[in-house]
Amino acid sequence: MRSPRPYSPLAGPGARSLTERRKAATQLDIARAACALFAEHGPDGTTAEDIAHRAGVALRTFYRYFRNKQEAVAPLLAGGGDAWRALLAEEDPGTPLGEALERAVTRSLGDSRTVEEGLEVTRGLLRAAQADEALRAVWYRVNQDSEERLVPVIARLAGEDADPLGVRLLAAAATDAIRISLELWSTTDAPVAGPGSPAELAVRCLRDLTGAMPLLHRPGGAAAAPGT
C-alpha cells in the first residue's frame, strides 16, 4: 500500500549508513501505519499493538523506536521540516532572504500529487491533535526541532556579519508561519492549492511576521522584505 507523507516529498539531508537507512525505513513504516489508523479510528481508538500489527512489526520493535502511539507520527511530521530546510539551503548566499524564504515555503507546500496527499494526512493528524494532548505535544516538539535546525541555514544565507539575534528571530518566525498556516488550514475544508491553501496562508504569515525585521532590510541589498 502506498502511504502518503506529510506535506513534503523530500528526505532529510546527509548520507546515512545501511543500518541507519533500515532503521529510518522501519520508523516510517510504523509512522505511516499510525497515521492511517489515527485517520480511521482516532488516537483513542488506536493502540500501539494495532500500529505494530498494521506495520508488520513486533510490539517490542515498536517500543524500541517510540515511547507511545502518538510519538509514532513524529518521523512523518519531521519530514516536512527536513524538506523545506533542504529547499532553502539550495539558495545562494546573498539571495534576498525574504525571496528565498517565500520560494522555499511555496515549493515545499506546492501542488505536486505527493505533496497534496501528504497535506491531507497532515490535516487529519492536526484535527486529531485538537482532542489529544500527547499528539499536540509531538507536533510542537517537531516544530521546535525544525526551528533549531533552521538557524544555521538562515545564518549561512544571511552572511557572517548577520546579527545572531536576528537570525534566531527569523528562524522562529519562518517556522511559526508554516505551523500556524497548517493549523489554521486543518480546521477548514480549503483546498491544498490556491486561495486558503497552506502555501498561500504561509506566505501571508511570513510577510506579517517578518516584514519589520532588520535582517530583511540590511544595507546593500543583501536581503529584502518578503514580497518586495
Side-chain angles (χ1 to χ4, degrees):
M1 181 179 70
R2 184 166 71 99
S3 298
R5 287 171 286 184
Y7 60 90
S8 163
L10 302 178
R16 295 179 292 182
S17 69
L18 179 60
T19 299
E20 289 172 329
R21 292 197 301 272
R22 286 175 175 169
K23 177 180 176 181
T26 300
Q27 289 176 319
L28 283 173
D29 286 342
I30 295 171
R32 289 169 182 145
C35 287
L37 287 168
F38 286 170
E40 294 169 14
H41 307 293
D44 287 343
T46 301
T47 66
E49 290 88 345
D50 295 332
I51 296 170
H53 180 74
R54 176 70 66 92
V57 301
L59 184 59
R60 66 178 179 275
T61 300
F62 176 93
Y63 282 116
R64 185 182 306 155
Y65 296 121
F66 304 108
R67 291 178 297 176
N68 56 53
K69 61 187 179 183
Q70 289 88 350
E71 287 282 343
V73 304
L76 286 175
L77 294 175
D82 291 342
W84 106 265
R85 288 193 309 275
L87 290 170
L88 185 61
E90 293 177 1
E91 299 284 345
D92 294 327
T95 301
L97 278 173
E99 294 178 13
L101 287 166
E102 283 196 19
R103 190 158 40 240
V105 166
T106 302
R107 290 175 65 194
S108 69
L109 298 172
D111 59 358
S112 73
R113 184 172 181 81
T114 302
V115 173
E116 288 181 5
E117 292 175 338
L119 281 168
E120 292 296 352
V121 172
T122 302
R123 173 147 55 188
L125 285 174
L126 290 177
R127 286 179 174 177
Q130 293 178 14
D132 192 295
E133 184 177 350
L135 195 54
R136 288 200 307 275
V138 173
W139 169 246
Y140 293 141
R141 192 199 75 221
V142 165
N143 277 274
Q144 179 62 39
D145 290 345
S146 183
E147 176 187 323
E148 292 173 0
R149 294 175 184 176
L150 182 59
V151 170
V153 179
I154 291 179
R156 170 183 166 272
L157 295 176
E160 295 181 356
D161 61 336
D163 176 20
L165 176 60
V167 170
R168 288 294 302 273
L169 287 174
L170 186 55
T175 302
D176 278 348
I178 295 178
R179 178 183 62 80
I180 293 169
S181 68
L182 287 169
E183 290 174 353
L184 180 60
W185 174 76
S186 74
T187 66
T188 74
D189 293 320
V192 296
S197 68
E200 193 246 2
L201 292 172
V203 169
R204 286 174 55 193
C205 289
L206 189 63
R207 292 176 179 177
D208 287 346
L209 289 171
T210 66
M213 287 189 176
L215 191 61
L216 299 184
H217 300 278
R218 299 172 67 197
T228 60

